[in-house]
Amino acid sequence: MRKARIAFLYVFMILLVPTFVFANGFQINEQGSKALGMGGAFVAQANDPSALYFNPAGITQLERAHLSLGVSPITPRASFESDVTGKTTDADVNTFFIPNFYYTMKNTEKISTGLAVFSNYGLATEWPENWEGRYVTGGTKAEIITMTINPNIAYKITDKLSIAAGVDIQNMDITLKNKLAMVPYNGSILMLNSDGDSKLTADDWAYGWNAAVHYKITENWKAGISYRSEIKHEIKDGTAELSLPSGNLIGSGPVPAMNIQKTGSADITLPEILYIGTSYEIGKFTFEVDGQWTGWSSYDKLKIEFEDGSQQVSPKNWEDVWAIRLGAQYSVNKMLDLRAGIIRDYSPIPDETVDPLVPSGDRWLYAVGLGFNFHRLTIDVAYNYLDDENREFDNEVGKKAPYGYVAPELTGEFKDIDAHIFGVNVSYKF
């Protein structure tokens, strides 16, 4: 039986590689539907298998072995109103699916172990190929996909205090697409007769670590702290593919259509995260308040260095930020739990570098959820509505384009930014 469970776990790890992920601000917190129904306020409770993400020290509370499989479909929307033309452009509306997998085991009275597979960073934004911002890097499509494999071990020091540590093994895939009107070529500028295409792709494996503490102050009052380190991706073999129609080289005359491919390298450091929170049970109610700090100042620029010595640099200068999460649960009976939550999430993106890739501002999220308990089987469902503030777009990003040329000036406002977020997890206690 144990070999069968391990074989199933291995197969599901492979199937879990996400096809699409999305998050404004490009951190993804939809990592378990019980937590999602309480606005992600879960670091102190940490009492189901998704504790492996939120606070792995909490898995010492779980008896026997637990398996949880989940997915969060997200449907985001955004529009851009141009100050130049007065035209409003809608981003393409798609639904993205964020999976999660958790397996925990109580090895001894003191030691518990677990394996998590999740995607906690990513973005996917797509804009029409003829919109005004198509010349900005990633202006028609920007996609960052991550998958993290995270084994953990937790140790119960006393009946009240547990600690945990783990390793983050992370894969990242990047795709950035945009249009081109002109490009540097043979020491001059090639003016294209129609839009060309640029596609940047890269992937990398990198490593980090995590640690956590869970403490029962009293039987009803709990506290938790969980930390995940920075993960630095050193991409060595990225590819830039340019598909160029015919054009005219300034000072030389006509040039036929051509395709150009070159390789490049880039370093991207995903930020460290700190979760801290406390929960309290009173009767059938459980309340929790959490703070989440994210060290986004690690994302200071996106710099791509090509093998021919050229560079493409996009300043970012993001800032460290906090999110505040409030959640509550009411246990109607042994079979049914009702949940709700609210989140205030602050944007790390300064006005000087906001762009079409992540047009995110400060936002509110409103959460509801249900838990259905059937002896060893639990089904958790949740819904969040994300309401993002409008962002003015009037900076150097809208005046520059890839490969060193100047694009038509783009200013305006990103508006009507929201998302519908759902979640379902099915968990089984062996």
Side-chain angles (χ1 to χ4, degrees):
M1 179 67 178
R2 182 177 177 182
K3 288 183 179 179
R5 291 204 300 264
I6 293 173
F8 174 80
L9 181 154
Y10 177 76
V11 171
F12 193 79
M13 281 172 56
I14 296 173
L15 295 177
L16 261 180
V17 178
T19 306
F20 298 104
V21 294
F22 169 86
N24 278 335
F26 87 83
Q27 183 182 1
I28 301 171
N29 285 289
E30 291 74 26
Q31 304 300 340
S33 297
K34 181 176 182 178
L36 186 64
M38 292 182 282
F42 198 62
V43 68
Q45 294 173 71
N47 57 2
D48 83 348
S50 69
L52 282 168
Y53 175 79
F54 293 97
N55 183 347
I59 67 172
T60 60
Q61 302 175 97
L62 305 179
E63 299 296 330
R64 304 171 65 105
H66 290 248
L67 174 68
S68 182
L69 312 177
V71 65
S72 289
I74 299 180
T75 304
R77 299 180 300 181
S79 299
F80 178 77
E81 183 177 329
S82 172
D83 290 341
V84 178
T85 66
K87 181 180 178 180
T88 297
T89 302
D90 296 328
D92 294 345
V93 177
N94 297 298
T95 298
F96 307 98
F97 297 88
I98 302 169
N100 59 73
F101 165 87
Y102 304 105
Y103 182 78
T104 68
M105 180 182 297
K106 196 170 187 68
N107 303 84
T108 70
E109 279 301 309
K110 293 285 189 179
I111 297 175
S112 296
T113 55
L115 178 67
V117 183
F118 52 80
S119 177
N120 64 326
Y121 288 102
L123 67 85
T125 52
E126 295 187 53
W127 294 88
E129 294 200 347
N130 61 350
W131 85 293
E132 294 168 78
R134 62 190 181 274
Y135 301 117
V136 175
T137 301
T140 56
K141 181 176 182 178
E143 186 174 81
I144 297 177
I145 300 172
T146 65
M147 181 192 70
T148 301
I149 302 170
N150 180 214
N152 283 271
I153 184 169
Y155 182 73
K156 183 189 288 186
I157 298 175
T158 70
D159 288 342
K160 292 187 174 184
L161 178 63
S162 294
I163 59 174
V167 177
D168 294 325
I169 306 164
Q170 187 178 86
N171 177 259
M172 180 170 66
D173 284 282
I174 300 174
T175 301
L176 299 175
K177 293 182 179 181
N178 53 267
K179 296 295 183 179
L180 300 170
M182 61 186 86
V183 293
Y185 184 69
N186 283 352
S188 185
I189 297 295
L190 175 60
M191 306 293 295
L192 302 175
N193 292 328
S194 59
D195 282 352
D197 292 289
S198 171
K199 180 181 179 181
L200 299 172
T201 57
D203 70 272
D204 182 60
W205 285 92
Y207 306 91
W209 58 275
N210 62 284
V213 178
H214 187 265
Y215 186 66
K216 294 182 179 179
I217 302 169
T218 68
E219 193 61 32
N220 297 328
W221 185 12
K222 300 176 182 178
I225 300 175
S226 183
Y227 173 82
R228 291 189 177 274
S229 72
E230 290 184 346
I231 298 181
K232 184 176 182 179
H233 288 271
E234 298 178 339
I235 299 167
K236 301 299 183 184
D237 55 355
T239 301
E241 300 175 26
L242 308 183
S243 179
L244 307 178
S246 61
N248 288 281
L249 190 64
I250 295 177
S252 297
V255 174
M258 70 183 85
N259 294 313
I260 300 173
Q261 181 171 308
K262 54 184 178 178
T263 60
S265 62
D267 292 345
I268 298 176
T269 301
L270 298 181
E272 57 188 333
I273 312 170
L274 176 68
Y275 296 93
I276 184 169
T278 184
S279 68
Y280 192 80
E281 298 178 28
I282 178 169
K284 293 187 174 184
F285 287 94
T286 301
F287 300 96
E288 177 155 349
V289 56
D290 287 2
Q292 175 189 339
W293 177 85
T294 306
W296 273 119
S297 58
S298 66
Y299 190 48
D300 57 347
K301 63 180 177 291
L302 179 58
K303 180 180 180 181
I304 304 169
E305 298 179 304
F306 295 104
E307 60 182 348
D308 61 6
S310 61
Q311 296 183 349
Q312 185 174 324
V313 183
S314 301
K316 298 299 180 181
N317 298 320
W318 286 19
E319 300 166 349
D320 301 339
V321 289
W322 281 90
I324 307 299
R325 304 175 179 275
L326 302 174
Q329 173 177 278
Y330 177 72
S331 296
V332 179
N333 51 47
K334 290 183 179 181
M335 292 187 63
L336 178 63
D337 299 318
L338 307 179
R339 300 172 184 135
I342 188 169
I343 307 164
R344 182 57 168 164
D345 195 1
Y346 295 97
S347 174
I349 309 169
D351 292 339
E352 292 76 18
T353 60
V354 67
D355 60 28
L357 281 71
V358 193
S360 179
D362 297 340
R363 58 196 177 186
W364 290 96
L365 289 92
Y366 309 94
V368 293
L370 298 170
F372 302 97
N373 308 300
F374 306 102
H375 187 46
R376 292 190 175 186
L377 179 70
T378 299
I379 301 173
D380 296 300
V381 295
Y383 169 76
N384 282 195
Y385 176 69
L386 182 154
D387 184 19
D388 212 322
E389 73 173 9
N390 295 349
R391 289 299 299 266
E392 292 291 334
F393 183 51
D394 185 5
N395 56 36
E396 291 300 311
V397 177
K399 301 171 185 177
K400 292 183 179 180
Y403 313 110
Y405 74 86
V406 178
E409 184 171 338
L410 178 69
T411 63
E413 183 179 35
F414 293 106
K415 57 191 297 185
D416 302 325
I417 305 168
D418 65 5
H420 299 282
I421 305 168
F422 298 89
V424 59
N425 272 75
V426 179
S427 303
Y428 188 80
K429 177 181 176 182
F430 293 96

